Each structure stands twice: as structure tokens, then as C-alpha cells.
């Protein structure tokens, strides 16, 4: 089952025992890290996951509380002797920024970085969808959010999965060729040796809907977040402030907990987790209460607690 | 009393519960940070010290395990609203490296950085001494060490302190003018109104020797480390490896615990703390035993334990 583990829930500053932004997603055999605030390599250790196992790292934007852990993470992975390529998604210019620090040089790593860099304008000029990753089990896409600097959120979802073929029923309808069974499962209709037409939909259950997780921070409420969260099983959304600070949220390109709930509701999401709490909110309970008045299935993300998409 | 608190004792990788290199020194009213590996801002919180209180930050070299915490530390200090200048000592090029990361720009900080940058060759061309800080209580100097990249170690010591004036004795010898009391305390001889010569050394106790702390990592055993550690009350020295790895220590520009002890002994230091332990050494006790065979007053630095210079 896909599992989401939030490694840090603090905005800007580490406070009240919260850590800086980073979220681990394990999806089948794939291990994905979303954002990489300072200390993320230690939080991965706390979660019992070796940084060397990561397949994909996605940055949302340049701000330090989401990115300053990346040089150290890459250094540690290098020291652990990784040779397999690592896919790194983020803003254009990422390689240059990493190379500018004398303690690390990408050419000196024992593994290659497969960079998937979105334009620094955050794809605002296009429909905004940026394809990050696709394999037989996982599809990752990015969409622009609304923050003070170009920022992209991410959606992880199942690759399209075929429905189940009822082989007995197909045989009863006269299908005998093994290639016809394959065609039916893949969604195609076939004709039996006796000339009878058998429709795929007669013998194959409908495709299961893809499970989806949306990661929308840092951002004000926006279309990009709603698109990422469309029918998602789980949404992790910026909820930096309580209602009282709504104006401050707008000024700084963040959301209130209530606004996060409005995004989840508009998107038809199933469950919402709030994160990126301002240091001024020592307790998250009041924010959860404000959000639940709009979208009941809301909780504050708990660090290191595995949330399972089933 | 000057107090040294080691925040991280791990080499390269965080391992076995150890953290990356950083050491806090509180010297009278001054607060100094030596090195700033990733996570140092969290370790300062663990030590109960606000990063906003720092007066001086000294980097030894560019390697990430000593420096990757600096952008986050500066960002946090900025968010805390500091306006007082911060003195930052390190290799030439430090400002450019910090500015290359889009998440931070030194011109955008609410406080100014007073940079004390040593030449990138580590002062090898001169006698090697680089003056970092001097005020009425604390003097900080740097000297080149022997590592794979230009590296400087640091010595913190008391500013010269006058001895105590025995005012009764001076009066008995005929001194009456308050200015003469000041002159005597400052080390000058005076003549009384009756024409009698009074020597400073007759009425002032000798200057107390300055208390000193030496910080010598990352380095192979070298003259610079011995000069930093000269008669020091406390020396924190690179002890990455055990005897078994002596060749590896030489290859990588590090020291064995025994070599650290040899430096402390040659320098006439009073006490040695070992640090920067390789992840291959889960236990430090064998390294301490090897070092004590050369220099008895040796311990493994214990993170967050305050060591007092009295």
C-alpha cells in the first residue's frame, strides 16, 4: 500500500518540536522524497529509511526550509556508495546552485543525477502540468502553486491498472486463444473462432480508480492545488495560519487551515492533512477545528506517522 | 567561566546518535560557534542557546559536514529579527557561495555580516596566524591545519588581564594619587610625592595566564595544531580513526586518537577531548585508550556536555 510519512511540519523555523518540510512517500517499490529542509537526512534515519534507497527527490521551491537539506542528503548518499542514478525534480538552475557550494560538486558524485527541471516561471505559461515520473506503478506530475516565488506542487498516483479478467466467463463465451484473453484484459473486444463477438467490458471488471496523494505547499489556495488534489485519497496542504491570520497568509503566499479545507472540499478529496504550521501556533488543534468546519476528514499531520492509502 | 559545548562529534556522516561538527563556546558575555554542520541550529536549541545570541561564527573549511548548516542558521537568525552585526570567519569566497543558493541572499538579511575571510590558501604563505576577534575579554586567532582542502583551526583565549593591585601596600609605600594606582595596575612604575620609586611588580600580583581553548579539526597532526594548543587548558582535536587506520588517516587528512594525544602532549596542553569519530567506530572507548597511552588526561567529547575552563 502507498504510505505517506511526513518528516517535518514546521514553517520557516523549527519550533515546538516540529521539523522542517520534507515528506517521504513509499509507493510499491518506489521511494520518493518531497522537499528537503535542513535535517531531512536525519529525519529519514528516524523513519528507518536509508537515504540511499531514494528513487526520486522533488523540490517545490527554493526557500531554505524546503531545500537546505539537499546538499547534505546528496553528500551522505554519495558517501554510502550509491551508484544508481537518482532522479531530482525542481526548479531550473538547481544544478548550478548545488555546484556553487564548494563542499559538493555534482560531477564528483559516484551516481548520476537525472534532473527533471521545470522552468523557473513554474510552468505558468502552459496549462501548468509537468510530467516528472512514470513507470508501471507510479505516475508523478507537478503543477504550479501560488507562492512568493515560483513553486510547484506534486501529485503521486497509481499508473493505470487493468481490471480483472473473468477467464471462466470468457471461456464460456467461446474465447480459446490466449492472445484473445490478453486483448480482452487490455480493453479490446475480440471475435471467437466461432465468429462470436465478445466485448472486453463483458468479462473484465472496470479499472480500479488510481489511488492518489497530493502535496500542495507552500501555497495560497489556488487552481493548481485543486487540480493536484482532484479526487485524491490524501492531500497534504499548506496550513500555515489560523483564521485570525488570513491577511498575513495572503501577504506571504500561504494558506489558512480553513482555506486548505476549502481546497480539499472543492477537489473532492477524501482526506486532508494540515502541515507547515507557523511557529506562532504551538498547538495545531485550533487549526484542525477551523478546517473541520469546512471539511470534516481533516487532521494535523503527525510527524513520522505512516498514513496509508488503501 | 568559559564553557565549551560540543554539539556534534561525528565525521562526515551522522551515525550512532552522533551529530555533525559544531561546537559552542561561551566566553564571558561572548557566544561563539565553531563550524556549522547540517542541523547545527537544532543542536543549539538542544543546548538551550538561541542562535540569535551568537557573536561570532568560525568555519574551518568548506566540507559539508562542517558548513552545510550555515545557510539555515543565518535564515533562522534573520527570521528571529536580529539586527546586530554578526562576525563570520571562514575561507575567502564564503559570501559568494552563500549568495549562490537562491534561498538566501546576504544583502537581504536584517543584520550585517562582518566577514573575516582568510585567504583560500589557508595563510600557508605567512607565519599562518590570522587574527579573527579581539575585545576586552576574548581573543580569537586562526592557524592553518593540514587537511585535504585549505583549513584553519581556532584558538580562543582570555584577553591579557592585569594582576590585582594591593592598594594598602601601595599606600604604605607612599602612593597617594589615584592616577598612580591606575599606572601601577597597568604595569608602570611610579614616583611618590616624597620622591620614592614604587615598582608595579612590588604591589601588583603577576598577570594570570590566559585560559585557552584550541579547536583543531579537520587535520592530520601538524604544527598549526600544536601552536593552537600551546599550553591550552582544553584541546578539541580531530580523532577520526583508531591506530588500525593510521594509513587511512594520512590519506584523508585526518588524525588518529593517538596522534591527537601526541599533539596535546607536545603542546603542553592540560586536557584533550577527542572528536570527529568515523562511522566505523561505533564506540569511542578504544580510541580513548589509545590516546591515554600517550596523554592521560584525554576523554571522548560528549555531545551537549558543558566543559568548563577554570
Amino acid at each position: 500500500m502507498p504510505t505517506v510519512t511526513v518528516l517535518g511540519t514546521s514553517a520557516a523555523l523549527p519550533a515546538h518540536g516540529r521539523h522542517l518540510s520534507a515528506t517521504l512517500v513509499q509507493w510499491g517499490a518506489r521511494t520518493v522524497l518531497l522537499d528537503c529542509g535542513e535535517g531531512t537526512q536525519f529525519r529519514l534515519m528516524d523513519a528507518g529509511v536509508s537515504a540511499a534507497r531514494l528513487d526520486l527527490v522533488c523540490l517545490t521551491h527554493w526557500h531554505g526550509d524546503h531545500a537546505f537539506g539537499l546538499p547534505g542528503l546528496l553528500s551522505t548518499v554519495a558517501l554510502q556508495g550509491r551508484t544508481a542514478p537518482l532522479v531530482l525534480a525542481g526548479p531550473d538552475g538547481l544544478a548550478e546552485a548545488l555546484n556553487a557550494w564548494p563542499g559538493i560538486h555534482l560531477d564528483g558524485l559516484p551516481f548520476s543525477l537525472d534532473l527533471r527541471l521545470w522552468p523557473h516561471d513554474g510552468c505558468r505559461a502552459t496549462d501548468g502540468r509537468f510530467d516528472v515520473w512514470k513507470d508501471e506503478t507510479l505516475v508523478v506530475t507537478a503543477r504550479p502553486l501560488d507562492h512568493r516565488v515560483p513553486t510547484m506542487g506534486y501529485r503521486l498516483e497509481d499508473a493505470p491498472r487493468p481490471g480483472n479478467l473473468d477467464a471462466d466467463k470468457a471461456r464460456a463465451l467461446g474465447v480459446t486463444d490466449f492472445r484473445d484473453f490478453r486483448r480482452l484484459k487490455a480493453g479490446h473486444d475480440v471475435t471467437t473462432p466461432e465468429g462470436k463477438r465478445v466485448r472486453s467490458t463483458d468479462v473484465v471488471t472496470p479499472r480500479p480508480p488510481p489511488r492518489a496523494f497530493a502535496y500542495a505547499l507552500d501555497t495560497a489556495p489556488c487552481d493548481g492545488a485543486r487540480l493536484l488534489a482532484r479526487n485524491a485519497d490524501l492531500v497534504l496542504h499548506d496550513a500555515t495560519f489560523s483564521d485570525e491570520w488570513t491577511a498575513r497568509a495572503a501577504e506571504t503566499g500561504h494558506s489558512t487551515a480553513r482555506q486548505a479545507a476549502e481546497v480539499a472540499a472543492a477537489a473532492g478529496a477524501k482526506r486532508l492533512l494540515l502541515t507547515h504550521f507557523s511557529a506562532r501556533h504551538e498547538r495545531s488543534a485550533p487549526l484542525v477545528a477551523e478546517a473541520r468546519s469546512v471539511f470534516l476528514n481533516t487532521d494535523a499531520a503527525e510527524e513520522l506517522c505512516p498514513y496509508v492509502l488503501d
Side-chain angles (χ1 to χ4, degrees), chain A:
Chain A
M1 301 289 190
T3 303
V4 174
T5 308
V6 183
L7 303 177
T9 58
S10 191
L13 288 171
H16 314 307
R18 298 178 192 133
H19 298 75
L20 296 176
S21 288
T23 290
L24 173 73
V25 184
Q26 292 162 294
W27 201 290
R30 298 304 180 190
T31 304
V32 180
L33 180 67
L34 301 163
D35 278 330
C36 192
E38 182 178 353
T40 295
Q41 61 170 317
F42 317 138
R43 295 301 280 166
L44 283 169
M45 293 168 74
D46 293 341
V49 172
S50 168
R53 275 184 49 196
L54 292 170
D55 297 292
L56 169 63
V57 177
C58 302
L59 291 194
T60 56
H61 65 303
W62 283 123
H63 283 158
D65 57 323
H66 294 250
F68 281 158
L70 188 59
L73 182 82
L74 295 177
S75 299
T76 290
V77 171
L79 285 166
Q80 288 170 338
R82 180 191 181 113
T83 55
L86 176 66
V87 180
L88 176 60
D92 192 27
L94 190 52
E96 293 78 3
L98 287 167
N99 282 334
W101 191 265
I104 188 168
H105 200 284
L106 302 189
D107 293 341
L109 298 174
F111 57 91
S112 63
L113 279 180
D114 182 356
L115 296 171
R116 313 278 168 94
L117 302 179
W118 33 269
H120 201 64
D121 69 355
C123 297
R124 281 178 178 144
T126 70
D127 85 329
R129 180 182 161 131
F130 182 81
D131 294 324
V132 175
W133 176 281
K134 184 170 189 171
D135 66 18
E136 64 282 1
T137 55
L138 174 65
V139 176
V140 183
T141 52
R143 286 186 184 274
L145 299 178
D146 181 10
H147 192 43
R148 302 195 300 281
V149 298
T151 299
M152 298 278 271
Y154 293 88
R155 178 183 173 100
L156 288 77
E157 64 189 320
D158 284 315
R161 296 175 291 174
N164 291 319
L165 172 70
D166 186 337
D168 290 339
K169 189 172 178 188
R171 266 190 291 270
L173 292 170
V175 179
T176 54
D177 190 333
F178 75 93
R179 288 166 299 191
D180 283 342
F181 286 92
R182 279 203 201 145
R183 289 185 192 110
L184 286 165
K185 186 164 170 78
H188 306 294
D189 300 338
V190 301
T191 303
T192 66
E194 288 78 33
K196 186 175 169 193
R197 193 74 181 159
V198 177
R199 292 188 304 174
S200 173
T201 51
D202 290 337
V203 294
V204 177
T205 57
R207 290 185 171 193
R211 295 165 296 189
F213 166 63
Y215 183 83
L217 53 147
D218 293 353
T219 191
C222 67
D223 284 342
R226 282 182 282 268
L227 287 165
L228 291 170
R230 172 80 49 215
N231 299 326
D233 297 84
L234 185 67
V235 177
L236 185 67
H237 196 287
D238 186 325
T240 308
F241 297 105
S242 65
D243 281 351
E244 188 187 355
W245 299 89
T246 303
R248 177 89 182 136
E251 279 163 26
T252 56
H254 288 293
S255 299
T256 64
R258 179 185 301 274
Q259 289 170 333
E262 287 165 353
V263 168
K270 295 195 186 71
R271 184 174 187 190
L272 172 64
L273 293 177
L274 307 178
T275 190
H276 204 263
F277 302 114
S278 163
R280 55 170 60 77
H281 299 305
E282 183 168 353
R283 294 175 57 243
S284 58
L287 281 75
V288 172
E290 289 170 2
R292 283 185 181 165
S293 70
V294 175
F295 185 82
L296 191 61
N297 199 5
T298 300
D299 288 290
E302 189 180 332
E303 296 187 6
L304 299 184
C305 168
Y307 295 95
V308 177
L309 277 64
D310 54 13

